Amino acid sequence: MNVFRLTGDLSHLAAIIILLLKIWKSRSCAGISGKSQILFAIVFTTRYLDLLTSFISLYNTSMKLIYVGCAYATVYLIYVKFRATYDGNHDSFRVEFLIVPVGGLAVLINHSFAPLEILWTFSIYLESVAILPQLFMISKTGEAETITTHYLFCLGLYRALYLFNWVWRFYFEGFFDMIAIVAGLVQTVLYCDFFYLYVTKVLKGKKLSLPA
Amino acid sequence: AIGQTRHDEL
């Protein structure tokens, strides 16, 4: 555990909590892509199957359980509890265009051809692109609530911090995992455009709206 | 150590 890992995890946790609280407090999931949230629920489920096979630490187990639990709670709020506020018309990204290639890639490029390994690899690849339905929705409506941009910022920051964590681990532990690093780079790059808008608009007190 | 790290990171 290093400082980048820890702040990365906390940033990830903050993102998840911000989104849950936003939906809960406003009693609405307007502007939130339910599809992205389903993808994240799939990501956590396929990655944390190792909860059943290996114990690392209390921190590790509890964070995994919190992430999985919150992911399903978010999906429940969007598709069941506040379904009436869900903006399905604007959430029109075709997720099969992500899941099918990512599934194929996980079968082709993995560390070992074992069910748990393939599912882990699948979750890493899928996470890197899971935010696309959300970004697509924002580009379609041309705007995002400020609280939604805070959520996206924390979520993007988390993977960027993990990149620093991997540099650290490479230097001090001689460890690197090419699959995680490449996918993490892709994931971080997808947020760059958003980071720019966040810094130039949201942090200056303006609402995030895209030019028509 | 690949396998271990697999489970260690979130």
Side-chain angles (χ1 to χ4, degrees):
Chain A
M1 180 66 81
N2 56 62
V3 66
F4 301 113
R5 240 305 291 284
L6 185 62
T7 46
D9 288 350
L10 294 179
S11 174
H12 196 181
L13 185 64
I16 292 170
I17 302 284
I18 286 172
L19 183 63
L20 263 179
L21 281 181
K22 173 215 150 32
I23 298 176
W24 186 255
K25 295 264 177 194
S26 66
R27 322 296 287 172
S28 160
C29 58
I32 301 300
S33 164
K35 290 183 178 178
S36 274
Q37 296 309 314
I38 288 180
L39 292 181
F40 283 123
I42 297 174
V43 163
F44 291 137
T45 308
T46 49
R47 187 175 310 167
Y48 299 157
L49 287 172
D50 63 1
L51 279 169
L52 307 171
T53 63
S54 48
F55 178 81
I56 303 293
S57 65
L58 191 59
Y59 171 83
N60 188 275
T61 302
S62 22
M63 289 297 258
K64 284 176 177 172
L65 288 175
I66 291 171
Y67 286 178
V68 176
C70 287
Y72 280 98
T74 308
V75 169
Y76 167 78
L77 290 186
I78 295 175
Y79 285 97
V80 182
K81 195 158 175 63
F82 301 123
R83 189 186 183 89
T85 63
Y86 171 55
D87 192 5
N89 287 335
H90 284 127
D91 194 10
S92 50
F93 194 94
R94 301 279 297 272
V95 285
E96 59 271 34
F97 291 154
L98 294 180
I99 295 204
V100 173
V102 155
L105 197 62
V107 169
L108 288 174
I109 304 179
N110 51 56
H111 288 303
S112 78
F113 201 79
L116 274 182
E117 273 295 319
I118 293 174
L119 285 172
W120 178 86
T121 313
F122 172 76
S123 86
I124 293 288
Y125 293 154
L126 185 61
E127 183 188 349
S128 68
V129 292
I131 201 60
L132 287 178
Q134 179 66 61
L135 296 177
F136 179 72
M137 193 172 179
I138 291 176
S139 73
K140 237 189 146 186
T141 60
E143 58 175 24
E145 282 179 57
T146 299
I147 187 79
T148 306
T149 66
H150 295 328
Y151 159 72
L152 279 169
F153 178 74
C154 289
L155 200 59
L157 181 65
Y158 134 72
R159 220 47 178 175
L161 286 165
Y162 256 69
L163 292 178
F164 291 108
N165 158 57
W166 291 322
V167 172
W168 178 287
R169 294 192 78 157
F170 178 72
Y171 277 108
F172 294 102
E173 298 167 31
F175 159 82
F176 74 99
D177 183 327
M178 201 44 95
I179 288 179
I181 291 172
V182 172
L185 272 170
V186 169
Q187 187 170 343
T188 306
V189 165
L190 290 182
Y191 285 87
C192 284
D193 187 38
F194 167 77
F195 282 150
Y196 174 77
L197 291 171
Y198 186 80
V199 170
T200 55
K201 288 199 168 178
V202 181
L203 289 185
K204 290 181 179 157
K206 287 181 242 166
K207 191 180 155 82
L208 191 143
S209 57
L210 306 172
Chain B
I2 283 279
Q4 187 61 21
T5 321
R6 190 67 95 253
H7 307 303
D8 146 39
E9 293 190 339
L10 302 168

